[in-house]
């Protein structure tokens, strides 16, 4: 069934009797060409592109809980391609272009909203670094704009321009950046993949891999064995646990990142702002909640919850940047598991095991990458070679010394 | 979180700085053949367990001791805290 | 004798004093400090030497003690020696002479700024400043903790008198935090 | 307007009258009122509008679970959106406004949405607004955004102060109802340190809302006497107006104390709220229970309330929502409300009980086996339509309807560490599960003990167990012990527009649609319909939605699941969580020893990390910063300049293994450094990337003074301690930071020695022979002041760094200026410092950016292969040693007028300009007064071999293309003759 305004009206007049489930509720088949582990944004996007672009329809997405229940359902919904390094920028720009056509591609309104993102500048060194980055963005075909303090002030007069400890000296803007209704991304990809015949199996947890002489033949699950020509893993937050079942150690630590939503407020923030002198970034959802976040708690955790010090740190950043939010209330907070890689950049690659493919290590940048990650992983699964925009995301880059370290923090994941 | 410092007793984790897996104590020998591989594994690969994890914390806001904390990464329960220096010595590290 | 005139950490020629309610916060520049860290394998000798210097047993974890020259524990086999500035400006020298090669000594006098908080309700202000259980802290106890994001030493000299040592360069911020807490709590 | 709906009794102080305004209309109230009780007393039922359909909304509850009656409190820069009228403590002069309505609360234009509600069903927006693509941002979204949102921010800085603090206790008791008070009494009398916190301003919890007796006396007497006893105990701290918002790891609880919200104006210096971090050995949750509604057609009209709320308003606040009230219940508790209201003289239209077998009552009518099937009334309830047991309909005339669907234990905090509550069949409700936060136990109604007797007993018992107290329980008052069992009744069959989430307008119909479209897990339901996502966090709505979903899925409620609760228990002002760390206090400010002097000189300051440093020292008449900076550079290079470089990290490294230790820390050798000598050192991370650089001076065999960059001082110290304690635990090395102890000034320029000779005491020879380049020593100055002298140069000139104890730094700077007059000495700031180091080709933060290697920095040969040092092994990886690796180079514009921009990229002189042809980038740029040209440092592929090459410098971001020449990074004195002079 195609969604459209007309459909909504027609259904409204007939008591909404005609709406079908967004995806079918199915039994497992014994074998698939490709099994994707992980019914999150990346896994579902992979299935969508596998079917739509690469013509693979004997595909299953298996999810241990409910689809979209992981980080795609819990994040700060920001999309952007304001990266510096050659290994990253083309990939994220590809992702942003896919976002721009997403609704029409999947026939689902995920409310892709290119309201713009500004990274604030507080020091000359920061301006130099952002200038280099902005240039790299433009040289890679993305958009970037360097703003001085007055330009920032015109757009965000309520930021702290009076007694800021770290005065705002400007910003690096990407107008095509913005936000997306995160849950709808998972649902939209799921519905589309389903329409192409992809099986989406919820409450199906992987308990092991069946690997014989270096080849992966399928996965053992809570619903029994599933044979597979190829197995793709896209289980943000659980990469270590899952690949451990295949006997792999990863260049990844799992950390907790908290995020926050305020009570609903009338519109105040037109776009996304990132504070350059503290750990704070914020946007406002269409429902009116301020959606904001900051830094990792800093310790390895699978608990999906954090602690007060970081909550305070983030709110201190918020108050330092926008003293007007003092009387707005924090409504909800949650913690997601971030697979922090050793250089802060992801991995989309084959593994040492034939037929087993890996997609992970997205740190806290996974959401914006969803379309390109799905597209490139689908490409790798279908063609057995990396997509041109994702050639750098290899396992062996640490061995060869080709790290992709945007922040220059080295092999300490909680600093990326 | 509260870390029971072996010398100072319970201290708020916000006084500490986290580094990571305590295996960072086991620094390879630079003269081993294939030292580069050994250092690669040391510097980049992690067990990253969901469960008990031995990890390094630095008491920045306290007595400047490095600690090895045994903590459950699922529940955050802390079951052991040792001075990293003692651990390192016990593992045969010296000069 | 040199002819350079010192200023206090808060930038004055005289120490700063603030009183709110029953509590007084006094800037204390007239104190000399030197760190003592035992050399590897010579911890026992270092303790002995330190005892000679302060005329008391070397303070144990979380303790301080001594006489005119006193010391407080700062880390494993590490102490900070404290003495009146006017009589012991170059404290590091006699300290080094005393411990010799059993310990390393560094001048710390101007690494720190000291504020003494005195008054019956001093603990009400302290509970807004640091996470130590100051209600339970007894005379002779010390701990390092974080105040206003600054690493500070807190020394409980008596139930109504606490000394706070914070980084000298941040004296202004620390002072502001202390006075704000006093105004809020008292 | 008079308080027509006032009743007798209650806990309000009728001797005082408080005046307040709601929507600019004046009303009267009494101390002890909340805004909600005062509005009801004044006959105001309409208090707000719903989120989506803008339906009229009145107060539903009498507590913090309130979804409907939320207002903008206060005005101007203190305007506080989305504030629950039910928790606003009345004060004189209070001002509040309804929100999310236009033009007025009574007539709200967007109420039109309600007419089209059928088109705005759950998730409708996911299915439309897709064409044309460009219209989303331009048209649809702005429309939606404008309509959405609730209250509004003032857009001005919040003028109030907030504090944070820490408290410690043996037992934290959360909730001061019967179980909490009994627990506090037990623990307090046993001498334990107790904190008793309650979100209400009156301790006593439900006891304040009930008429039943304790020891045959009114309950509030026992409350008063207990509170009096507790407040007399030095070991017990009572914290009313304090909401425990979250259970965090290891017994740490977050609590918000509202110290100023009940005051018209704050006393100066006092905070509006305080965030307490409570460190508890044990904690006891006595949070009580929340009544749950029943869903029926149009159950959202102002006047439809929870029965227990009606009872609270009557008994505690001496207020009724209307003169004629009906009750709709599925349990005995509803009848208690009817009885209490009747006894207060309120007319009971009828009690509608869904149970067929309920006793009749002689005071008022009881309709057994009946249900409320609809309601009427434009902006407030006027009639309810009842379907009687025999199927016939009947209309009741009433202004308020009390609804009672049973009680849900307040288990929220038990879930904060992802514990799951378990289903209790007798109560048909979730009760705390087994996996509670460690150290937390639960008592009273929160644990399913619904009777007052049960609450008192379980509270005392829990305290005894938590603290392992021996002995018997304290004597507790005799109290009602009615057996409570609840049969589930979630909604009236056949209802469709029956509200579950009244704020977000989620109805039974929406849950059905969610199920129909496959959104069947609780998480999907929440997200698809927004059920429970409103400011009340679904306290009154989640259960109903869950129950209906369970029924549709043909599963039991526990099978269908439960949404887990996260902190905060109720929303928290962001200002409270930030406390004092805002404005100038956001981070501590570090001042250099010469700061006050520099201020007198009119220096312009710049933030460098937490430091404030003098950026330049403008002279009268200088119009542009470049004039000042150029002058400072020229004068320094021509004669002598002084710069405060105290901010560089200084670490004393001592011990018999100190030299060996530095050998491991630095990639270059230190073992053979002679006493009295200083050496430049480069520090690598273990991954082979440059971490920091600086100098180490050997003051004695066993004593080095190491300097770090300002930015990395803390990181380097940590790293050194890691290497010392974790990697080489038996090395005899002691470390301590002396950054702040010494005021350190760079004295640079051809006349620097002459200047220093005037202050260095004569017994110290600082001639070129006596004190050559890279020498260091302990000396005295100005007649015996201990000092450290280093002959090192960052500027490329003959230069020294001199250090004295910080307290003398101010005086020393003044002395240097005074003694330097004859040399025309100039103080210079960080800008001139930067210019000179660029001219000299010294790498700094912009070059040591965390991705560059020794090779990139042109120091590849420094990495000793003959020893083990941190990072040396991994620095050998091929990716870090490629033929066309980036090398540091100097860049000059071919036309000296042209500007070099840091962050611009280097491209070949001709050919395409794109990422594929990127050759490198500029890290630092400045105008060089010495060369009278802009210059830059940067990294260029294979730059070492490309000197003299002409290239294009492009910065599309700043719309700049410049023809440049690649030159040596050492623009000034490449041979280093000056610094050896």
């Amino acid at each position: 069934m195609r969604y459209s305004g007309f459909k909504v009206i027609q259904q409204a007049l007939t008591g909404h009797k005609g709406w079908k489930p967004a995806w079918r509720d199915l039994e497992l088949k014994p074998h698939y060409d490709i099994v994707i582990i992980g019914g999150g944004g990346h896994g579902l996007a992979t299935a969508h592109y596998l079917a739509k672009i690469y013509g693979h329809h004997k595909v299953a997405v298996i999810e241990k809980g409910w689809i979209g229940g992981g980080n795609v359902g819990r994040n700060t919904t920001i999309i952007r391609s304001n990266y510096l390094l050659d290994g990253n920028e083309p990939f994220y720009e590809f992702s942003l272009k896919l976002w721009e056509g997403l609704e029409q591609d999947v026939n689902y309104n995920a409310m892709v909203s290119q309201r713009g993102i500004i990274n604030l500048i507080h020091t000359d060194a920061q301006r130099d670094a952002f200038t280099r980055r902005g240039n790299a963005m433009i040289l890679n075909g993305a958009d970037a704009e360097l703003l001085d303090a007055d330009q920032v002030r015109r757009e965000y007069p309520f930021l702290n321009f009076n007694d800021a400890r770290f005065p705002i000296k400007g910003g690096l803007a990407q107008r095509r950046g913005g936000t997306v209704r995160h849950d709808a991304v998972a649902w939209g990809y799921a519905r589309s993949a389903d329409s192409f015949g992809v099986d989406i199996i919820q409450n199906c947890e992987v308990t092991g891999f069946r690997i014989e002489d270096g080849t992966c033949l399928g996965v053992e699950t809570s619903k029994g064995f599933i044979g597979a020509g190829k197995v793709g893993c896209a289980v943000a937050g659980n990469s270590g646990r899952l690949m451990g079942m295949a006997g792999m150690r990863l260049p990844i630590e799992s950390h907790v990142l908290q995020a926050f939503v305020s009570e609903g407020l009338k519109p105040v923030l037109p776009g996304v702002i990132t504070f350059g002198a503290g750990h704070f970034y914020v946007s406002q959802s269409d429902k009116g909640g301020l959606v904001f976040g900051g830094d990792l708690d800093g310790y390895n955790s699978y608990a999906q919850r954090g602690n007060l010090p970081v909550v305070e740190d983030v709110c201190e950043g918020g108050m330092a940047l926008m003293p007007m939010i003092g009387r707005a209330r924090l409504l909800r907070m949650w913690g997601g598991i971030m697979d922090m890689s050793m250089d802060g950049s992801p991995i989309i690659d084959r593994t040492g095991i034939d037929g087993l493919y890996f997609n992970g290590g997205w740190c806290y940048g996974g959401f914006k990458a969803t379309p390109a990650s799905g597209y490139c992983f689908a490409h790798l699964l279908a063609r057995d070679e990396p997509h041109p925009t994702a050639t750098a995301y290899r396992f062996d880059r640490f061995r060869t010394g080709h790290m992709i370290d945007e922040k220059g923090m080295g092999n300490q994941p909680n600093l990326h | 979180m509260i870390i029971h410092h072996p010398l100072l007793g319970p201290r708020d984790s916000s006084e500490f700085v986290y580094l990571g897996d305590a295996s960072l104590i086991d620094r390879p020998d630079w003269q081993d053949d294939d030292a580069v591989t050994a250092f690669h594994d040391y510097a980049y690969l992690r067990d990253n367990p969901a469960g008990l994890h031995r990890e390094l914390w630095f008491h920045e806001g306290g007595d400047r001791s490095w600690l090895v904390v045994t903590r459950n990464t699922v529940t955050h329960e802390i079951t052991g805290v040792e001075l990293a220096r003692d651990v390192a010595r016990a593992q045969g590290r010296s000069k | 004798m040199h002819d350079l005139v010192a200023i206090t950490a808060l930038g004055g020629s005289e120490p700063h004093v603030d009183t709110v309610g029953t509590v007084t916060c006094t800037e204390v520049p007239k104190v000399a400090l030197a760190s003592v860290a035992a050399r590897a394998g010579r911890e026992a000798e270092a303790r002995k030497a330190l005892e000679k210097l302060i005329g008391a047993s070397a303070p144990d974890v979380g303790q301080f003690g001594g006489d005119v020259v006193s010391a407080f524990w700062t880390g494993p086999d590490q102490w900070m020696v404290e003495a009146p500035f006017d009589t012991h400006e170059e404290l590091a020298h006699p300290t080094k002479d005393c411990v010799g090669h059993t310990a390393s000594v560094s001048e710390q006098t101007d690494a720190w700024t000291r504020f003494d908080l005195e008054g019956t309700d001093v603990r009400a202000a302290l509970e807004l400043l640091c996470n130590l259980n100051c209600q339970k802290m007894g005379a002779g106890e010390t701990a390092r903790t974080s105040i206003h994001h600054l690493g500070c030493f807190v020394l409980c000299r008596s139930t109504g008198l606490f000394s706070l040592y914070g980084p000298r360069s941040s004296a202004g911020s620390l002072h502001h935090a202390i006075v704000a807490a006093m105004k809020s709590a008292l | 307007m008079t308080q027509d709906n006032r009743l007798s009794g209650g806990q309000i102080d009728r001797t005082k009258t408080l005046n307040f305004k709601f929507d600019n209309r004046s009303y009267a109230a009494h101390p002890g009122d909340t805004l909600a009780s005062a509005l009801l007393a004044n006959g105001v039922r309409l208090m707000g509008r719903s989120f989506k359909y803008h339906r009229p909304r009145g107060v539903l509850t009498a507590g913090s679970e309130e979804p409907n009656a939320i207002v903008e409190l206060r005005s101007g820069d203190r305007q506080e959106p989305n504030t629950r009228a039910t928790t606003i403590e009345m004060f004189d002069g209070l001002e509040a406004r309804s929100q999310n309505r236009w033009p007025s609360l009574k007539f709200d234009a967007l109420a039109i949405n309600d007419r089209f509600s059928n088109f705005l069903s759950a998730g409708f927006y996911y299915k439309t607004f897709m064409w044309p693509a460009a219209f989303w941002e331009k048209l649809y979204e702005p429309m939606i955004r404008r309509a959405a949102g609730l209250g509004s921010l003032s857009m001005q800085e919040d003028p109030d102060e907030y504090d944070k603090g820490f408290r410690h206790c043996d037992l934290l008791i959360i909730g001061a109802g019967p179980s909490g008070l009994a627990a506090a009494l037990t623990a307090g009398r046993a001498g334990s340190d107790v904190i008793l916190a309650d979100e209400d301003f009156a301790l006593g919890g439900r006891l304040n809302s009930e008429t039943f007796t304790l020891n045959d006396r009114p309950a509030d007497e026992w409350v008063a006497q207990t509170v009096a006893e507790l407040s007399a105990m030095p070991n017990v701290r009572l914290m009313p107006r304090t909401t425990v918002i979250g259970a965090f790891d290891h017994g740490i609880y977050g609590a918000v104390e509202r110290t100023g919200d009940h005051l018209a104006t704050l006393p100066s210096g006092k905070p509006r709220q305080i965030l307490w971090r409570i460190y508890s050995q044990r904690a006891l949750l006595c949070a009580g229970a929340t009544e749950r509604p029943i869903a029926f057609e149009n159950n959202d009209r102002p006047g439809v309330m929870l029965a227990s709320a009606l009872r609270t308003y009557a008994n505690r606040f001496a207020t009724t929502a209307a003169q004629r009230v009906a009750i709709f219940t599925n349990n005995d508790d509803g009848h208690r409300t009817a009885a209490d209201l009747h006894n207060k003289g309120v007319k009971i239209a009828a009690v509608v009980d869904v149970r067929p077998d309920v006793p009749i009552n002689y005071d008022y009518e009881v309709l057994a086996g009946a249900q409320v099937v609809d309601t009427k009334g434009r902006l407030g309830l006027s009639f309810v339509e009842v379907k009687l047991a025999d199927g016939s309909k009947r209309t009741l005339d009433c202004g308020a309807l009390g609804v009672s669907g049973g009680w849900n234990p307040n288990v929220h905090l038990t879930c904060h560490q992802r514990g799951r509550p378990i289903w209790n069949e007798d109560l048909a409700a979730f009760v705390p599960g087994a996996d509670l936060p460690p150290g937390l136990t639960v008592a009273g109604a929160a644990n399913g003990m619904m009777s007052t007797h049960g609450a008192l007993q379980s509270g005392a018992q829990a305290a005894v167990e938590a603290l392992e107290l021996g002995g018997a329980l304290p004597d507790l008052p005799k109290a009602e012990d009615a057996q409570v069992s609840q049969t589930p009744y979630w909604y009236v069959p056949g209802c469709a527009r029956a509200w579950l989430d009244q704020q977000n307008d989620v109805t039974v119909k929406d849950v059905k649609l969610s199920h129909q479209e496959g959104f069947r897990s609780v998480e999907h339901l929440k997200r698809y319909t927004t059920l429970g996502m409103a400011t009340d966090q679904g306290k009154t709505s989640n259960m109903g939605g869950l129950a209906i979903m369970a029924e549709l899925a043909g599963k039991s409620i526990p099978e269908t699941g439960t949404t887990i609760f996260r902190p905060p228990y109720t929303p928290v002002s962001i200002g409270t969580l930030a406390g004092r760390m805002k404005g100038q206090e956001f981070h501590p400010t570090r001042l250099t020893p010469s700061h006050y002097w520099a201020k007198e000189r009119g220096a312009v300051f710049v933030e460098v990390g937490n430091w404030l440093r003098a950026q330049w020292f403008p002279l009268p008449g200088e119009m542009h910063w470049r004039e000042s900076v150029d002058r400072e550079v020229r004068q320094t290079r021509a004669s002598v300049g002084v710069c405060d470089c105290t901010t560089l990290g200084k670490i004393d490294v001592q011990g018999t293994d100190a030299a060996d230790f530095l050998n491991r820390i630095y990639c270059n050798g230190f073992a053979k450094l002679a006493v009295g000598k200083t050496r430049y050192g480069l520090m690598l991370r273990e991954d082979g990337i440059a971490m920091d650089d600086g100098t180490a001076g050997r003051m004695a065999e066993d004593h080095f003074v190491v300097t770090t960059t300002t930015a990395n001082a803390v990181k380097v110290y940590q790293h050194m301690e890691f290497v010392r304690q974790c990697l080489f635990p038996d090395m005899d090395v002691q470390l301590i930071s002396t950054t702040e102890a010494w005021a350190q000034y760079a004295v640079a320029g051809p006349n620097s020695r002459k200047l220093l000779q005037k202050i260095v005491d004569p017994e110290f020879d600082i001639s070129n022979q006596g004190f050559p380049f890279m020498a260091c020593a302990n000396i005295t100055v100005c007649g015996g002041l201990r000092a450290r002298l280093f002959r090192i140069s960052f500027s490329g000139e003959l230069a020294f760094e001199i250090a004295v104890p910080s307290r003398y730094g101010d005086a020393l700077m003044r002395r240097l200026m005074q003694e330097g007059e004859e040399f025309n000495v100039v103080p210079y700031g960080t800008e001139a410092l930067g210019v000179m180091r660029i001219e000299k080709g010294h790498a700094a933060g912009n070059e040591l950016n965390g991705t560059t290697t020794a090779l990139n920095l042109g120091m590849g040969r420094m990495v000793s292969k003959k020893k083990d040092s941190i990072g040396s092994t991994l620095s050998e990886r091929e990716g870090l040693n490629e033929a066309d690796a980036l090398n540091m180079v100097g860049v000059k514009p071919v036309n000296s007028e042209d500007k070099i921009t840091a962050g611009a990229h280097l491209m070949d002189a001709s050919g395409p300009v794109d990422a594929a042809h990127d050759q490198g980038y500029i890290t630092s740029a400045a105008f060089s007064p010495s060369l009278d040209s802009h210059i830059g440092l940067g990294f260029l592929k294979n730059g070492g071999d490309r000197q003299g090459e002409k290239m294009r410098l492009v910065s599309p971001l700043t719309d700049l293309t410049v023809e440049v020449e690649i030159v040596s990074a050492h623009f000034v004195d490449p041979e280093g003759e000056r610094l050896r002079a």
Side-chain angles (χ1 to χ4, degrees), chain A residues 12 16 67 73 104 109 113-115 135 165 264 266 303 305 307 312 327-330 398 400 402, chain D residues 80 82-83 100 118 126 130 137 141 148 158 160 249 277 418 524 527 572 574 610 877 879 882 957:
Chain A
H16 296 284
I67 65 165
Q104 293 67 30
N109 184 4
S113 170
Q114 295 184 284
R115 53 184 69 176
N135 281 321
R165 175 73 177 77
K266 289 298 176 193
R305 56 182 181 83
N307 279 292
E312 297 173 34
R327 292 176 117 83
R329 293 192 204 83
L330 186 155
F398 303 102
T400 58
H402 292 90
Chain D
E80 187 186 342
N82 307 331
T83 309
N100 197 37
N118 208 16
Y126 299 128
M130 285 178 277
E137 283 90 348
E141 186 176 50
D158 182 351
D160 287 340
D249 279 312
R277 282 71 58 108
R418 301 189 66 79
H524 285 164
R527 291 170 152 74
V572 183
I574 291 170
N610 284 349
R877 287 175 292 174
E882 279 159 347
L957 184 70

Side-chain angles (χ1 to χ4, degrees), chain C residues 103-160:
Chain C
S104 298
V105 175
S106 292
E107 168 160 351
Q108 285 281 297
T109 302
D110 286 349
W112 302 94
T113 180
R114 171 172 154 185
F115 295 101
D116 283 1
L117 272 67
E118 186 160 21
T120 45
D121 303 332
V122 61
R123 290 183 155 91
L126 284 168
E127 72 178 1
L128 291 178
L129 289 170
C130 69
N131 65 20
L132 299 174
N133 189 354
C134 297
Q135 305 293 343
K136 290 265 181 291
M137 229 173 161
E141 290 180 38
T142 176
R144 189 176 194 162
T145 187
S146 165
I147 296 179
H148 201 70
H149 293 198
L150 296 164
C152 300
F153 291 103
V154 176
L155 284 72
C156 177
R157 302 192 186 268
S158 72
T159 53

